[in-house]
Amino acid sequence: MIILGIESSCDETAAAVVRHGKEVLSSVVASQVKIHGPFGGVVPELASRKHLEYIIPVIGSALERAGVSGEELDAIAVTQGPGLVGALLVGLSAAKAMAYALGKPLIAVNHLDGHIQAAFLSCSTPEGPFICLVVSGGHTALYRADRDGSSRLLGATRDDAAGEAFDKIAKLLGIGYPGGIAIDKLASGANPMAIRFPRSRMEKESFEFSFSGLKTAAANYVRAHGLPTYDAQAGSVTMRDFAASFQEAIVDVLVEKSLKAAEQFGLTDIAAVGGVAANSRLRERLARETASRGFRLYLPPVRYCTDNAVMIASAAYRIWMRSGPSHEMLELDAYSR
Ligand code: KG4
Ligand code: ZN
């Protein structure tokens, strides 16, 4: 079964052709990082305009690289939400038009389900239910997920998503966008203990997260001490140590809560997905701590952590297996939340 996936929920225009939910025939991602970079975050109106410009060439290129014609597709899958409505509508309209013109079924996919399904794009895949940490720019949540594509929310962030915290602090430091990647790079080899930033663990039994206190603490630090410098000066913390300490505060909580969820639900399999799951320190800590405590870890390759269309085609395959395509294909509307 060959599915064309289309993703345009935020600032990446992506299309991919995937066979049987796992075999990637092509994956094309047109990034808008350079366009939004100077603003330190995604500008929704600019994103929609760029999606309009990119969508047809990106889809064409995905089909061409896969060596598959529109007629050979079994279905077309598209992200319906959550995301920026103007951005989502571009992918959704393109998918509807193609499905209608080619007479193919359309499968609507929830963006977060897409991220969760990326767990099946790791080298080995979970065989039973697993704990899934979804960490991206818009979401931070823990799910109990199943192989058939169903999932149950255990707890989400009450305020900022982890990626959002990375992006906002990187903007404050003036070190580039997307902030997560910039902080990850700076933090490499630096001292994560240089500043003891607060870790918000919420109530003891809670799987909820909160990163606004950490963000405020980091901003207060800069207000009190000024921007950290790149060169070591007597008694001061460098930019690299600041980045490592900030990153460690986020990673500590993410790792701790994921392991606690697995213990509490008696599951041995843990996956981490979404843009922040590309973080090298998070990947390293999860690998070490799951191994030492006898859990199995599933991490998608970095290219399938950040937004892509392979995960959308993959999720659509499981939806199809479970319940077939959507019946109100042309009436489908985008949703922001
Ligand atoms: O999943 P994604 O591409 O888009 C959303 O659905 O939000 O995630 C984007 C987020 C951004 O906040 C970005 O800063 C973060 O993922 N991110 C990272 C890394 N790469 C991307 N955060 C930490 N470390 C990284 N290496
Ligand atoms: Zn995403």
Side-chain angles (χ1 to χ4, degrees):
M1 173 158 193
I2 301 179
I3 299 182
L4 167 72
I6 299 173
E7 153 67 39
S8 70
S9 67
C10 192
D11 59 344
E12 324 275 8
T13 319
V17 180
V18 180
R19 185 185 278 137
H20 305 321
K22 190 155 167 79
E23 193 190 330
V24 182
L25 304 184
S26 69
S27 173
V28 179
V29 181
S31 169
Q32 301 181 9
V33 161
K34 288 210 175 82
I35 291 143
H36 302 285
F39 301 96
V42 179
V43 183
E45 180 56 31
L46 275 183
S48 312
R49 283 192 231 161
K50 284 293 155 188
H51 282 307
L52 264 180
E53 210 175 288
Y54 294 161
I55 193 82
I56 304 291
V58 164
I59 293 173
S61 161
L63 289 172
E64 193 186 314
R65 287 188 203 177
V68 165
S69 69
E71 286 71 30
E72 286 170 296
L73 296 171
D74 292 294
I76 293 162
V78 64
T79 307
Q80 189 185 6
L84 302 169
V85 170
L88 287 161
L89 279 173
V90 176
L92 191 59
S93 307
K96 280 185 191 176
M98 271 189 84
Y100 183 72
L102 293 166
K104 304 286 178 183
L106 184 68
I107 306 171
V109 176
N110 175 293
H111 184 76
L112 295 178
D113 284 339
H115 275 303
I116 295 174
Q117 290 309 306
F120 294 98
L121 299 168
S122 339
C123 311
S124 61
T125 59
E127 276 162 22
F130 61 101
I131 292 296
C132 192
L133 171 69
V134 181
V135 258
S136 70
H139 302 268
T140 295
L142 275 166
Y143 289 84
R144 182 190 187 281
D146 274 295
R147 263 195 86 83
D148 68 356
S150 58
S151 59
R152 179 156 76 83
L153 179 67
L154 305 178
T157 178
R158 285 196 193 163
D159 39 61
D160 290 349
E164 201 178 347
F166 272 118
D167 293 339
K168 286 181 181 164
I169 293 306
K171 190 174 178 177
L172 175 79
L173 298 177
I175 56 171
Y177 174 84
I181 301 175
I183 291 182
D184 190 347
K185 276 195 193 139
L186 264 185
S188 168
N191 176 15
M193 309 297 192
I195 311 169
R196 181 71 193 170
F197 284 122
R199 276 85 169 139
S200 171
R201 296 187 163 86
M202 318 301 287
E203 295 80 30
K204 200 159 176 280
E205 295 308 313
S206 168
F207 292 115
E208 290 183 320
F209 299 87
S210 167
F211 295 106
S212 67
L214 167 63
K215 195 185 65 189
T216 308
N220 284 343
Y221 184 95
V222 171
R223 218 166 285 135
H225 301 87
L227 273 181
T229 51
Y230 282 92
D231 305 318
Q233 288 168 3
S236 75
V237 167
T238 64
M239 187 71 103
R240 295 183 53 235
D241 290 338
F242 184 103
S245 303
F246 179 77
Q247 173 176 272
E248 200 70 3
I250 293 185
V251 169
D252 267 353
V253 177
L254 296 177
V255 172
E256 203 175 285
K257 292 224 175 210
S258 305
L259 294 180
K260 196 177 92 178
E263 260 160 22
Q264 188 161 319
F265 289 88
L267 300 177
T268 47
D269 289 356
I270 300 176
V273 301
V276 180
N279 183 268
S280 46
R281 181 68 174 161
L282 177 63
R283 294 173 85 88
E284 176 194 318
R285 290 270 313 272
L286 276 173
R288 198 168 65 216
E289 286 165 49
T290 50
S292 73
R293 288 161 71 175
F295 293 108
R296 276 186 301 257
L297 177 66
Y298 303 91
L299 289 174
V302 166
R303 64 185 178 283
Y304 301 141
C305 286
T306 45
D307 288 348
N308 66 89
V310 172
M311 67 184 197
I312 301 303
S314 251
Y317 174 76
R318 288 195 170 75
I319 294 173
W320 178 286
M321 289 298 149
R322 210 171 58 223
S323 45
S326 159
H327 295 290
E328 356 94 268
M329 141 165 147
L330 295 180
E331 287 83 53
L332 281 180
D333 211 352
Y335 53 85
S336 62
R337 328 200 113 255

